[in-house]
Amino acid sequence: MNDALSNVNKICPCAVTISLLSSKWKILIMRDLLAGPKRYSDLKRSVMGISQKMLTQSLKEMAADGLVNRHVYPEVPPCVEYSLSNLGASLRPVIYALNKWGKDYLQKSNPAYIHERFNIAVPKNRWLINSERFSNIR
Amino acid sequence: MNDALSNVNKICPCAVTISLLSSKWKILIMRDLLAGPKRYSDLKRSVMGISQKMLTQSLKEMAADGLVNRHVYPEVPPCVEYSLSNLGASLRPVIYALNKWGKDYLQKSNPAYIHERFNIAVPKNRWLINSERFSNIR
DNA sequence: CGGCATCCCCTGAGATACTG
DNA sequence: CAGTATCTCAGGGGATGCCG
């Protein structure tokens, strides 16, 4: 019997998406890769606050899930470039929705409250980004 | 000086949204509340696998963040109803995007792979939902 | 019914040091 | 440069029991 397989169409789509994105880091990596391919060190800089460990681990899992491609240029020193696969790129509307809602929310909220809720409660400057990234996601 | 406040418009909108939704539970709760107000016990049943602790905690935080309203009917036995606030309801496009992508992904993926990735790897039946919920999110 | 309060475990994630 | 390898710890989250 294939109860197991028949259960597949009872899986919650919402939960599947979340599961693939799991940690916040992956979403932030997606956000940055949507602007184009990036090297490991680029990502390390643009995904502010991420550790090498989490960056490596996240990228590895995302590659295993088919969300990103990993391309190694055989040079010295080594150069590794990450880019979105077609599957990964198809997540654009999701990232866009997250970004859109966040922008609206930030605009209509009390700045002092936002500061209190997101600048202090959250460790360090983890949520800050370079302003030029604003234009990347539309 | 108000460096602090001026930093507010450097916060990543994407990250803000994720931060408010944080755990997967909140997203699943949102998903179910989008279909209409629900009692605590309804949510306990529909958000499969959630513990009382996490349900209570999630709802409390979501209420504090202004995403859900809590209404107590002074009866015996007590009855508490949760519903989305306007702010919470405005997240519909986000939940919709997550759901939409997940549905597409499930359809085009190899069922055996999906089973392996989401039915076994993930603890218990946590990701399963009642099929009738599929129509709730459009 | 709709919660709290505890205890406890596991892992997500940071810090640091080392390598091809 | 792009990682790997350890060590460590806070807290996310489960299980259980009690309460108005």
Side-chain angles (χ1 to χ4, degrees):
Chain A
M1 70 173 188
N2 53 0
D3 274 354
L5 290 186
S6 72
N7 272 341
V8 166
N9 47 357
K10 287 196 197 151
I11 297 177
C12 173
C14 228
V16 165
T17 311
I18 304 164
S19 174
L20 285 173
L21 262 29
S22 59
S23 83
K24 65 171 178 300
W25 294 124
K26 291 188 185 176
I27 301 184
L28 299 181
I29 292 170
M30 288 288 315
R31 176 199 64 189
D32 291 345
L33 286 182
L34 277 174
K38 296 245 180 315
R39 297 181 55 174
Y40 183 90
S41 49
D42 291 334
L43 288 170
K44 180 77 176 61
R45 231 173 304 110
S46 71
V47 183
M48 287 183 63
I50 196 171
S51 61
Q52 315 94 308
K53 178 186 170 183
M54 289 317 297
L55 181 54
T56 303
Q57 181 178 311
S58 299
L59 286 170
K60 197 177 291 181
E61 290 173 6
M62 291 167 82
D65 284 333
L67 295 177
V68 307
N69 299 317
R70 181 173 187 271
H71 187 69
V72 183
Y73 296 92
E75 307 170 357
V76 177
C79 170
V80 181
E81 195 175 75
Y82 292 90
S83 59
L84 292 181
S85 65
N86 288 339
L87 183 64
S90 73
L91 274 165
R92 179 182 287 274
V94 173
I95 308 296
Y96 170 67
L98 289 169
N99 194 69
K100 170 75 162 45
W101 191 89
K103 267 174 68 178
D104 293 349
Y105 175 75
L106 285 172
Q107 276 172 13
K108 70 185 169 195
S109 298
N110 178 344
Y113 172 74
I114 295 296
H115 174 251
E116 152 100 6
R117 175 76 169 76
F118 298 102
N119 270 28
I120 296 183
V122 170
K124 306 288 175 59
N125 290 3
R126 184 164 308 153
W127 302 111
L128 298 184
I129 63 166
N130 311 322
S131 48
E132 70 261 26
R133 193 186 298 119
F134 276 80
S135 47
N136 290 344
I137 305 183
R138 252 174 331 103
Chain B
M1 65 172 189
N2 52 359
D3 274 354
L5 290 186
S6 71
N7 272 342
V8 166
N9 46 356
K10 287 197 198 152
I11 296 177
C12 172
C14 228
V16 165
T17 310
I18 305 165
S19 174
L20 284 175
L21 261 29
S22 58
S23 83
K24 66 171 177 299
W25 295 125
K26 291 189 186 176
I27 301 185
L28 299 181
I29 292 170
M30 289 288 314
R31 176 199 65 187
D32 292 345
L33 285 183
L34 277 174
K38 294 243 180 317
R39 295 181 57 175
Y40 182 90
S41 48
D42 293 334
L43 288 171
K44 181 74 177 58
R45 232 173 302 110
S46 71
V47 183
M48 288 184 63
I50 196 172
S51 61
Q52 314 93 313
K53 177 184 171 184
M54 289 318 296
L55 181 52
T56 303
Q57 182 179 311
S58 300
L59 286 171
K60 196 179 291 181
E61 289 173 6
M62 292 166 82
D65 284 333
L67 296 177
V68 306
N69 299 318
R70 182 173 188 271
H71 187 69
V72 183
Y73 295 94
E75 307 169 356
V76 178
C79 169
V80 181
E81 195 175 76
Y82 292 90
S83 59
L84 291 181
S85 66
N86 289 339
L87 183 62
S90 74
L91 274 165
R92 177 182 288 274
V94 173
I95 308 295
Y96 170 67
L98 290 169
N99 194 69
K100 171 77 163 46
W101 190 89
K103 267 174 67 177
D104 293 350
Y105 175 75
L106 285 172
Q107 276 172 13
K108 70 184 170 196
S109 298
N110 178 345
Y113 172 74
I114 294 296
H115 174 250
E116 152 100 6
R117 176 75 169 78
F118 297 101
N119 272 27
I120 297 185
V122 170
K124 306 289 174 59
N125 290 3
R126 185 164 307 152
W127 302 112
L128 299 183
I129 63 164
N130 312 322
S131 48
E132 70 262 25
R133 193 187 298 120
F134 275 79
S135 48
N136 290 343
I137 304 182
R138 254 172 332 103

